[in-house]
Amino acid sequence: MTFWKPRSVQLKKKLAFAGAGILIAAVTLYLFLPILAVFLRITPERFFQTLQDPNVISALWLSMITTIITLIIVVAVGTPFAYFHSRYSYPGKVIVDTLIDLPLVLPPAVAGVALLMLYGRVGLLGKYFNMVGIQIAFTTLAVIMAQIFVASPFYLRQAKSLFEQIDPAYEQTSRTLGASPVRTLFLVTLPMTTSGLISGAVMTFGRALGEFGATIMFAGNVPGTTQTMPLAVYVGMQGDFYVGLTISILLVIISFAIMIAVRLIQKREEQHA
Amino acid sequence: MLEAVLQKKLRDYSLDLNLTVNSGEIMVLMGMNGSGKSTTLNIIAGLLEPDRASITLNGELICRTDDGIDVAVEDRKIGYVLQNSAVFPHMSVKENVAYGLKARHIAADEIARRVGYWMEHINIADLAEVKAGNLSGGQKQRVALARALAIEPSLLMMDEPFTALDAESTQTVKDLTIKFIRKLSIPCIVVTHRLTDSTEIGDRACVLCHGKKEWEGVPTEMPGFCSVCHCRD
């Protein structure tokens, strides 16, 4: 009996390790195998050949341009918004907090319908724009607006949380030392949040680049005007299979690069903490 | 010399305080948590708006609510050292000390002179290029003191400056504070809740209780009880 107990504990440990190993392997394979399957379905020659397809180039350029514009707008408007939102109390702040998070849980297609109901040709505001000859829905502008709607919460949440975490003592000290509020913002607050803001911006870029549902509902699917990479994948899979596959590989590579960038930024933050 | 009459309604009580601190004198402000010590400093610094106040620093009026006089925080020339020191972690020690001087648009050669002087006298010259985020608690507090003194303040205020420090660092910061307050002949207010701090550094002590002055005098004569609400009985 004296030998049995330790051996039983050892066996239990081995079984626990084996169970954990199987679980980790199963989850990893479940997430990784589909990605691998995309890469294995096409030869490198075919991939580089399809990359020169006008539909691929057009979707790639449109996606890049619209996503970069989206990112610039989100950072330029979102940073001061998050700063003021975290620094001041105002009536309805809780409601604004909820509304910021809403696009995260709202199905993207519903977001597209909502944008269409507001800015569409007969929409709440769209009818007035239409009266003066401005059409928003089904244009490149609509692509950007849809991306901003679904992707901005990633940046706003991150920026808001960063500004809330900064000890007010830093800004107060800066002011007593003779710095104006603007100088304090640019020399103290923003540098102390830069890594986190970049991380939020990278996630926003990734979400905007992959946006599909809201875009197809609000901007449509016109090659060269509103057909972004995810939409081109959808069309490609119904027609030219290799176009869909090639763009999918591009999106996987970009997404992977985004995740590596975020990890590197987080690692840098940890080292400086 | 600082002369302050302050009134502010807070959540549970009203701060109602008359405070005078002479040039070259260290006044220790004591009291339980929430007695109004930090609120007092924040009002004097201009970080918190009083309901009614009159604050004069070296004969110059920096706040009188009745006449609508309220000098901006950045123009009050008050050195303020906080409990966590609040040194800017992304800047080097040298950049921290120079921060207030640059904000005040002082000439570059004068900035270099003052930064060199204070880093040498506060014993942080060997840390000049070190990122402030990598310093120990004691080193950070010395940088905060050098940074506050470099702007040549008319008043120095320190809010619980020794709380996070070990015994050796506490003694160093105390010695430096006493030395430079005497040398610069400016009034100084130190907030603390430790009796030993008050007797070691304070020329005078003022004990606050629920926003009111409970006792004022020489720290060594401070009673061990509270005559107002008996909170220290």
Side-chain angles (χ1 to χ4, degrees), chain A residues 184-203:
Chain A
T184 300
L185 177 67
F186 282 99
L187 294 184
V188 175
T189 315
L190 287 179
M192 286 175 73
T193 51
T194 306
S195 298
L197 290 178
I198 292 173
S199 174
V202 172
M203 292 300 286

Side-chain angles (χ1 to χ4, degrees), chain A residues 49-58 240 243:
Chain A
Q49 190 191 331
T50 319
L51 259 185
Q52 284 153 45
D53 186 298
N55 285 333
V56 175
I57 295 169
S58 155
D240 190 343
V243 167

Side-chain angles (χ1 to χ4, degrees), chain B residues 83-110:
Chain B
Q83 182 182 341
N84 73 350
S85 74
V87 291
F88 307 129
H90 55 289
M91 294 182 196
S92 69
V93 167
K94 198 174 170 182
E95 287 167 337
N96 263 281
V97 179
Y99 184 85
L101 303 172
K102 284 183 182 169
R104 287 164 193 276
H105 308 293
I106 287 166
D109 54 343
E110 176 62 10

Side-chain angles (χ1 to χ4, degrees), chain A:
Chain A
M1 285 298 280
T2 50
F3 291 105
W4 174 246
K5 206 171 178 182
R7 281 179 67 187
S8 167
V9 171
Q10 271 187 349
L11 188 66
K12 275 183 186 169
K13 266 189 184 173
K14 277 181 186 170
L15 282 172
F17 273 126
I22 289 167
L23 188 67
I24 289 168
V27 171
T28 310
L29 285 174
Y30 183 79
L31 296 175
F32 176 67
L33 279 180
I35 307 292
L36 184 69
V38 173
F39 280 86
L40 293 178
R41 191 68 173 79
I42 189 169
T43 61
E45 294 79 25
R46 188 69 194 253
F47 172 75
F48 286 110
Q49 190 191 331
T50 319
L51 259 185
Q52 284 153 45
D53 186 298
N55 285 333
V56 175
I57 295 169
S58 155
L60 180 64
W61 274 114
L62 186 69
S63 273
M64 284 301 149
I65 289 166
T66 54
T67 310
I68 288 168
I69 293 172
T70 293
L71 187 64
I72 292 169
I73 293 171
V74 169
V75 171
V77 178
T79 310
F81 166 83
Y83 179 76
F84 291 123
H85 182 75
S86 64
R87 284 290 179 275
Y88 301 106
S89 288
Y90 56 88
K93 189 174 176 176
V94 180
I95 297 169
V96 174
D97 257 331
T98 313
L99 288 175
I100 290 171
D101 293 343
L102 188 64
L104 292 174
V105 290
L106 200 68
V110 177
V113 170
L115 286 167
L116 200 58
M117 294 303 108
L118 184 62
Y119 300 109
R121 211 157 51 88
V122 289
L124 213 57
L125 291 176
K127 61 185 172 193
Y128 298 110
F129 285 119
N130 198 41
M131 282 163 71
V132 290
I134 299 170
Q135 197 189 330
I136 295 173
F138 307 108
T139 63
T140 307
L141 177 62
V143 174
I144 296 166
M145 288 172 74
Q147 288 177 351
I148 291 172
F149 191 86
V150 296
S152 61
F154 285 86
Y155 185 77
L156 296 179
R157 278 170 65 94
Q158 174 84 347
K160 193 165 67 75
S161 150
L162 287 165
F163 290 133
E164 280 166 356
Q165 280 167 22
I166 286 197
D167 188 339
Y170 291 107
E171 289 169 345
Q172 290 174 344
T173 302
S174 169
R175 298 294 311 283
T176 61
L177 287 165
S180 66
V182 175
R183 192 181 178 96
T184 300
L185 177 67
F186 282 99
L187 294 184
V188 175
T189 315
L190 287 179
M192 286 175 73
T193 51
T194 306
S195 298
L197 290 178
I198 292 173
S199 174
V202 172
M203 292 300 286
T204 302
F205 183 87
R207 178 64 189 89
L209 190 68
E211 165 44 36
F212 177 84
T215 308
I216 202 164
M217 285 289 174
F218 182 44
N221 187 14
V222 185
T225 310
T226 67
Q227 192 181 82
T228 55
M229 286 166 79
L231 270 63
V233 171
Y234 176 70
V235 173
M237 296 309 280
Q238 291 172 330
D240 190 343
F241 172 73
Y242 286 105
V243 167
L245 209 56
T246 301
I247 299 175
S248 296
I249 289 173
L250 280 178
L251 283 170
V252 168
I253 293 169
I254 295 169
S255 303
F256 198 65
I258 286 170
M259 289 318 297
I260 290 174
V262 171
R263 282 290 159 97
L264 288 175
I265 293 164
Q266 284 171 345
K267 203 173 172 186
R268 208 187 111 188
E269 264 179 53
E270 282 164 17
Q271 282 169 348
H272 287 268

Side-chain angles (χ1 to χ4, degrees), chain B:
Chain B
M1 182 178 179
L2 169 77
E3 289 170 290
V5 181
L6 315 170
Q7 285 177 2
K8 183 164 180 71
K9 180 143 182 48
L10 302 170
R11 202 180 56 183
D12 300 325
Y13 58 86
S14 284
L15 178 77
D16 192 351
L17 187 64
N18 255 339
L19 205 62
T20 303
V21 189
N22 296 312
S23 298
E25 181 185 47
I26 298 175
M27 157 76 83
V28 176
L29 209 51
M30 296 190 70
M32 303 290 281
N33 286 341
S35 59
K37 308 184 295 287
S38 298
T39 305
T40 300
L41 296 197
N42 285 338
I43 291 174
I44 295 171
L47 294 166
L48 199 62
E49 203 177 320
D51 293 336
R52 198 156 183 237
S54 170
I55 307 169
T56 310
L57 199 49
N58 294 335
E60 193 184 328
L61 201 59
I62 58 170
C63 177
R64 185 149 73 200
T65 47
D66 287 354
D67 298 333
I69 298 169
D70 186 16
V71 173
V73 187
E74 55 265 40
D75 297 327
R76 290 197 179 194
K77 266 196 116 180
I78 294 174
Y80 196 1
V81 177
L82 288 115
Q83 182 182 341
N84 73 350
S85 74
V87 291
F88 307 129
H90 55 289
M91 294 182 196
S92 69
V93 167
K94 198 174 170 182
E95 287 167 337
N96 263 281
V97 179
Y99 184 85
L101 303 172
K102 284 183 182 169
R104 287 164 193 276
H105 308 293
I106 287 166
D109 54 343
E110 176 62 10
I111 291 177
R113 190 193 66 76
R114 283 204 220 170
V115 169
Y117 176 87
W118 285 109
M119 287 206 306
E120 192 190 325
H121 284 79
I122 305 282
N123 302 325
I124 49 172
D126 53 336
L127 302 169
E129 302 303 330
V130 177
K131 276 271 181 287
N134 298 329
L135 300 175
S136 70
Q139 289 169 332
K140 280 181 184 170
Q141 207 60 297
R142 277 190 282 151
V143 173
L145 183 61
R147 185 177 61 181
L149 291 173
I151 62 167
E152 296 185 347
S154 306
L155 165 70
L156 179 69
M157 300 198 296
M158 303 171 91
D159 193 356
E160 303 272 10
F162 316 118
T163 306
L165 305 187
D166 58 38
E168 195 185 334
S169 300
T170 299
Q171 198 52 53
T172 308
V173 176
K174 277 179 186 171
D175 293 344
L176 287 168
T177 306
I178 294 168
K179 178 180 166 186
F180 288 107
I181 290 303
R182 303 285 188 257
K183 191 170 180 182
L184 299 172
S185 191
I186 56 170
C188 174
I189 305 174
V190 178
V191 161
T192 182
H193 61 271
R194 294 194 302 216
L195 194 63
T196 49
D197 291 342
S198 71
T199 51
E200 284 178 25
I201 195 173
D203 299 309
R204 253 178 338 122
C206 173
V207 181
L208 290 187
C209 179
H210 290 146
K212 311 281 185 299
K213 193 187 287 182
E214 178 205 327
W215 181 88
E216 188 175 348
V218 180
T220 47
E221 294 171 5
M222 191 186 302
F225 61 90
C226 171
S227 59
V228 179
C229 68
H230 306 282
C231 57
R232 287 187 290 121
D233 285 359

